[in-house]
PDB file of all heavy atoms in Angstrom:
ATOM      1  N   ASN A 173     -35.649 -64.038  60.264  1.00  0.00           N
ATOM      2  CA  ASN A 173     -34.268 -64.462  60.031  1.00  0.00           C
ATOM      3  C   ASN A 173     -33.398 -64.456  61.335  1.00  0.00           C
ATOM      4  O   ASN A 173     -32.187 -64.649  61.231  1.00  0.00           O
ATOM      5  CB  ASN A 173     -33.614 -63.563  58.964  1.00  0.00           C
ATOM      6  CG  ASN A 173     -34.113 -63.785  57.559  1.00  0.00           C
ATOM      7  OD1 ASN A 173     -34.233 -64.940  57.135  1.00  0.00           O
ATOM      8  ND2 ASN A 173     -34.501 -62.712  56.932  1.00  0.00           N
ATOM      9  N   GLU A 174     -34.048 -64.204  62.427  1.00  0.00           N
ATOM     10  CA  GLU A 174     -33.325 -64.176  63.709  1.00  0.00           C
ATOM     11  C   GLU A 174     -32.869 -65.552  64.131  1.00  0.00           C
ATOM     12  O   GLU A 174     -33.561 -66.497  63.948  1.00  0.00           O
ATOM     13  CB  GLU A 174     -34.217 -63.588  64.785  1.00  0.00           C
ATOM     14  CG  GLU A 174     -34.714 -62.181  64.462  1.00  0.00           C
ATOM     15  CD  GLU A 174     -36.017 -62.272  63.710  1.00  0.00           C
ATOM     16  OE1 GLU A 174     -36.354 -63.230  63.154  1.00  0.00           O
ATOM     17  OE2 GLU A 174     -36.598 -61.070  63.594  1.00  0.00           O
ATOM     18  N   GLU A 175     -31.696 -65.593  64.735  1.00  0.00           N
ATOM     19  CA  GLU A 175     -31.236 -66.845  65.352  1.00  0.00           C
ATOM     20  C   GLU A 175     -31.920 -67.046  66.684  1.00  0.00           C
ATOM     21  O   GLU A 175     -32.356 -66.007  67.273  1.00  0.00           O
ATOM     22  CB  GLU A 175     -29.701 -66.771  65.566  1.00  0.00           C
ATOM     23  CG  GLU A 175     -28.923 -66.995  64.230  1.00  0.00           C
ATOM     24  CD  GLU A 175     -29.243 -68.298  63.607  1.00  0.00           C
ATOM     25  OE1 GLU A 175     -29.203 -69.326  64.223  1.00  0.00           O
ATOM     26  OE2 GLU A 175     -29.550 -68.265  62.431  1.00  0.00           O
ATOM     27  N   PRO A 176     -32.071 -68.225  67.166  1.00  0.00           N
ATOM     28  CA  PRO A 176     -32.812 -68.425  68.446  1.00  0.00           C
ATOM     29  C   PRO A 176     -32.041 -67.814  69.564  1.00  0.00           C
ATOM     30  O   PRO A 176     -30.806 -67.734  69.652  1.00  0.00           O
ATOM     31  CB  PRO A 176     -32.756 -69.959  68.561  1.00  0.00           C
ATOM     32  CG  PRO A 176     -31.740 -70.476  67.675  1.00  0.00           C
ATOM     33  CD  PRO A 176     -31.624 -69.472  66.577  1.00  0.00           C
ATOM     34  N   ASN A 177     -32.846 -67.259  70.481  1.00  0.00           N
ATOM     35  CA  ASN A 177     -32.291 -66.711  71.783  1.00  0.00           C
ATOM     36  C   ASN A 177     -31.632 -67.823  72.563  1.00  0.00           C
ATOM     37  O   ASN A 177     -31.987 -68.946  72.570  1.00  0.00           O
ATOM     38  CB  ASN A 177     -33.475 -66.193  72.593  1.00  0.00           C
ATOM     39  CG  ASN A 177     -33.011 -65.349  73.767  1.00  0.00           C
ATOM     40  OD1 ASN A 177     -32.206 -65.806  74.537  1.00  0.00           O
ATOM     41  ND2 ASN A 177     -33.614 -64.163  73.885  1.00  0.00           N
ATOM     42  N   SER A 178     -30.546 -67.463  73.214  1.00  0.00           N
ATOM     43  CA  SER A 178     -29.804 -68.460  73.933  1.00  0.00           C
ATOM     44  C   SER A 178     -30.416 -68.869  75.270  1.00  0.00           C
ATOM     45  O   SER A 178     -29.801 -69.625  76.040  1.00  0.00           O
ATOM     46  CB  SER A 178     -28.354 -67.868  74.298  1.00  0.00           C
ATOM     47  OG  SER A 178     -28.511 -66.747  75.093  1.00  0.00           O
ATOM     48  N   GLN A 179     -31.655 -68.466  75.540  1.00  0.00           N
ATOM     49  CA  GLN A 179     -32.290 -68.782  76.772  1.00  0.00           C
ATOM     50  C   GLN A 179     -32.942 -70.131  76.725  1.00  0.00           C
ATOM     51  O   GLN A 179     -33.705 -70.580  77.594  1.00  0.00           O
ATOM     52  CB  GLN A 179     -33.395 -67.747  77.099  1.00  0.00           C
ATOM     53  CG  GLN A 179     -32.812 -66.395  77.333  1.00  0.00           C
ATOM     54  CD  GLN A 179     -33.959 -65.354  77.621  1.00  0.00           C
ATOM     55  OE1 GLN A 179     -35.090 -65.738  77.861  1.00  0.00           O
ATOM     56  NE2 GLN A 179     -33.629 -64.076  77.494  1.00  0.00           N
ATOM     57  N   GLY A 180     -32.767 -70.927  75.643  1.00  0.00           N
ATOM     58  CA  GLY A 180     -33.446 -72.215  75.541  1.00  0.00           C
ATOM     59  C   GLY A 180     -32.963 -73.110  76.688  1.00  0.00           C
ATOM     60  O   GLY A 180     -32.064 -72.759  77.436  1.00  0.00           O
ATOM     61  N   ASN A 181     -33.439 -74.345  76.628  1.00  0.00           N
ATOM     62  CA  ASN A 181     -33.205 -75.304  77.738  1.00  0.00           C
ATOM     63  C   ASN A 181     -31.927 -76.111  77.596  1.00  0.00           C
ATOM     64  O   ASN A 181     -31.853 -77.217  78.133  1.00  0.00           O
ATOM     65  CB  ASN A 181     -34.455 -76.173  77.978  1.00  0.00           C
ATOM     66  CG  ASN A 181     -35.585 -75.384  78.319  1.00  0.00           C
ATOM     67  OD1 ASN A 181     -35.435 -74.271  78.894  1.00  0.00           O
ATOM     68  ND2 ASN A 181     -36.775 -75.912  78.235  1.00  0.00           N
ATOM     69  N   GLY A 182     -31.022 -75.705  76.763  1.00  0.00           N
ATOM     70  CA  GLY A 182     -29.715 -76.271  76.820  1.00  0.00           C
ATOM     71  C   GLY A 182     -29.325 -77.316  75.805  1.00  0.00           C
ATOM     72  O   GLY A 182     -28.275 -77.908  75.797  1.00  0.00           O
ATOM     73  N   SER A 183     -30.242 -77.688  74.811  1.00  0.00           N
ATOM     74  CA  SER A 183     -29.893 -78.575  73.774  1.00  0.00           C
ATOM     75  C   SER A 183     -28.884 -78.026  72.808  1.00  0.00           C
ATOM     76  O   SER A 183     -28.965 -76.901  72.519  1.00  0.00           O
ATOM     77  CB  SER A 183     -31.101 -79.074  73.003  1.00  0.00           C
ATOM     78  OG  SER A 183     -30.752 -79.820  71.957  1.00  0.00           O
ATOM     79  N   ASP A 184     -27.962 -78.822  72.327  1.00  0.00           N
ATOM     80  CA  ASP A 184     -26.911 -78.302  71.382  1.00  0.00           C
ATOM     81  C   ASP A 184     -27.367 -78.435  69.994  1.00  0.00           C
ATOM     82  O   ASP A 184     -26.648 -78.158  69.087  1.00  0.00           O
ATOM     83  CB  ASP A 184     -25.575 -79.006  71.677  1.00  0.00           C
ATOM     84  CG  ASP A 184     -25.659 -80.513  71.456  1.00  0.00           C
ATOM     85  OD1 ASP A 184     -26.761 -80.998  71.039  1.00  0.00           O
ATOM     86  OD2 ASP A 184     -24.691 -81.206  71.756  1.00  0.00           O
TER      87      ASP A 184
END
Side-chain angles (χ1 to χ4, degrees):
N173 290 311
E174 300 87 346
E175 285 301 310
N177 191 310
S178 60
Q179 298 176 15
N181 293 340
S183 171
D184 59 7

